[in-house]
Amino acid sequence: MSYKASWRSPSNIALIKYWGKHELQLPRNPSLSFTLSACHTNMTMTVSTGEHPSLTILYEGNPKPAFATKINAFFSRIDSYFPWLRTSSILIDSFNTFPHGAGIASSASAMSALALCIKDIDDQINGRTNKDAGWWSQVSEMARLGSGSASRSVFPKAALWGTATGIVASSDHFAIPWQAEVNPFYTSFEDTILVVKDDEKAVSSTVGHQLMELHPYAGARYTTAKENLTRLVDALRNPPLVDRFISICESEALHLHALMMSGTNPFVLIEPATISIIKEVWRFRKESALPVCFTLDAGPNVHLLYPAAHKTEIMSWVKSHLLPYCATEKLIEDRVGSGPEKIS
Ligand code: DP6
């Protein structure tokens, strides 16, 4: 028998960062993200049962054996629930709408797309059709085992992953939808991504998480992240607290990179252009009084977050003042998005 599933799944940008994990992809602190729209992975998975077991991986239509290690590791974590993964001939064909490995969380969109395809095919094999809230939690949990941040990509607008004080439904095992808790002021936010450098980053997030285990400031980091999450949850409900939103976002971004630079094996992922852009953002915000702020992923690129209502003025400033810092003169005009979609 042959089965096929196609899903488009977005990347996400963390406002409160996940940096540090233990056991099987369990986070050291809760994180909260906006789900993106333009940056996504389109994936088709074809499974033939009763054939010689094999795994073929295509990326942009070409063989990509380099992805096999991560995908096989993921399969070995979940194949007790999906035994057909080890006994079938499997073809995975995907492409991203953004540069691979540039710190734009390609693992989040790719691993969430893969989790969705696997769950969809498993439903076809077992004759199930219902996609209730439990279905999405299971996909999030599965995606987490592929890549922690992927657990958050399966929900529209915003997601929260990790046990958080006072949030009863929160869990270290899966993300929970957070859209209903966010004022529409924020779910209309743009995310203009300034691509400072689009080549492969020198240190992967997985290695970065490992380095947190011996980090001298790890304990302080996890405490701060938890406090920031509580304060951000409050700000996201109240647009008048936008100044608090801005200060937490920027502090989290700089905290993440300060951790990279202050461990026992330090590394630097930002570039001089990253710092220049940050200073321009601070100057422009002071002069214009517009609510625009930055955050950073595990890479040099800068995400500019702001309400869509100010897009014209902000894009005009971006083009005149920030585009020259993008080595490739590239930017990605993204925004808070509506979550994964099944493609027919
Ligand atoms: C800085 O989810 O890519 O983007 O679980 O090892 O796959 P693994 O790591 P990953 O780490 C993301 C780190 C981050 C912050 C975040 O997205 O919360």
Side-chain angles (χ1 to χ4, degrees):
M1 287 288 282
S2 199
Y3 304 90
K4 195 173 189 170
S6 299
W7 283 82
R8 166 181 306 158
S9 192
S11 181
N12 67 76
I13 180 67
L15 309 173
I16 303 295
K17 311 291 182 185
Y18 147 59
W19 199 242
K21 61 178 169 182
H22 62 108
E23 295 167 63
L24 212 50
Q25 304 273 91
L26 297 172
R28 290 282 185 194
N29 63 264
S31 57
L32 199 157
S33 57
F34 280 158
T35 303
L36 296 181
S37 172
C39 289
H40 58 252
T41 297
N42 270 38
M43 183 177 284
T44 296
M45 186 174 190
T46 313
V47 172
S48 303
T49 54
E51 278 186 22
H52 188 69
S54 64
L55 175 62
T56 308
I57 302 161
L58 303 180
Y59 181 70
E60 294 179 340
N62 299 313
K64 192 78 180 178
F67 288 172
T69 312
K70 199 158 184 182
I71 291 179
N72 274 316
F74 176 46
F75 282 5
S76 65
R77 288 173 184 173
I78 59 170
D79 62 11
S80 54
Y81 305 101
F82 308 101
W84 51 266
L85 282 173
R86 286 286 160 221
T87 56
S88 307
S89 162
I90 297 175
L91 171 67
I92 297 167
D93 190 359
S94 71
F95 67 88
N96 290 345
T97 53
F98 54 97
H100 165 70
I104 309 179
S106 58
S107 63
S109 58
M111 284 299 173
S112 56
L114 186 53
L116 284 157
C117 287
I118 293 170
K119 187 83 174 130
D120 187 326
I121 287 180
D122 193 60
D123 284 353
Q124 293 176 36
I125 292 173
N126 293 293
R128 287 186 300 253
T129 51
N130 191 11
K131 290 185 180 49
D132 56 9
W135 191 91
W136 289 98
S137 293
Q138 284 167 22
V139 173
S140 174
E141 181 158 11
M142 205 200 309
R144 181 204 104 225
L145 292 168
S147 177
S149 55
S151 66
R152 299 185 311 242
S153 273
V154 306
F155 297 112
K157 311 286 183 185
L160 186 155
W161 169 44
T163 306
T165 317
I167 300 173
V168 183
S170 63
S171 168
D172 283 351
H173 294 266
F174 47 83
I176 56 173
W178 205 246
Q179 173 179 12
E181 306 293 333
V182 178
N183 187 285
F185 172 73
Y186 289 106
T187 50
S188 80
F189 261 40
E190 295 284 317
D191 179 2
T192 301
I193 307 169
L194 303 160
V195 183
V196 166
K197 220 172 155 203
D198 65 1
D199 53 3
E200 203 85 19
K201 57 191 171 186
V203 181
S204 72
S205 295
T206 304
V207 171
H209 290 292
Q210 276 162 13
L211 292 172
M212 281 304 286
E213 287 307 290
L214 295 173
H215 200 293
Y217 306 141
R221 162 61 194 159
Y222 304 140
T223 304
T224 305
K226 286 171 195 163
E227 287 166 3
N228 280 346
L229 184 116
T230 304
R231 295 180 66 243
L232 184 74
V233 160
D234 201 24
L236 286 170
R237 290 188 181 122
N238 299 298
L241 296 180
V242 67
D243 287 347
R244 185 198 287 186
F245 170 88
I246 289 173
S247 72
I248 295 174
C249 276
E250 295 187 346
S251 166
E252 277 288 310
L254 295 176
H255 213 160
L256 170 71
H257 285 268
L259 287 164
M260 297 175 192
M261 294 182 220
S262 55
T264 35
N265 292 297
F267 59 102
V268 179
L269 294 184
I270 50 172
E271 293 287 325
T274 313
I275 303 284
S276 300
I277 292 170
I278 289 172
K279 291 190 168 177
E280 278 289 344
V281 172
W282 285 339
R283 189 191 57 78
F284 178 74
R285 190 166 68 228
K286 202 166 173 201
E287 283 173 5
S288 68
L290 291 174
V292 52
C293 68
F294 69 84
T295 188
L296 305 167
D297 220 320
N301 304 326
V302 182
H303 292 243
L304 284 182
L305 301 173
Y306 54 92
H310 298 299
K311 185 161 184 188
T312 310
E313 336 153 57
I314 288 177
M315 281 310 288
S316 141
W317 158 69
V318 165
K319 286 184 180 146
S320 59
H321 288 77
L322 303 186
L323 206 51
Y325 293 114
C326 301
T328 49
E329 290 256 324
K330 251 194 252 166
L331 53 82
I332 300 170
E333 292 188 44
D334 212 337
R335 63 199 54 80
V336 176
S338 51
E341 229 179 279
K342 186 171 162 71
I343 316 165
S344 54

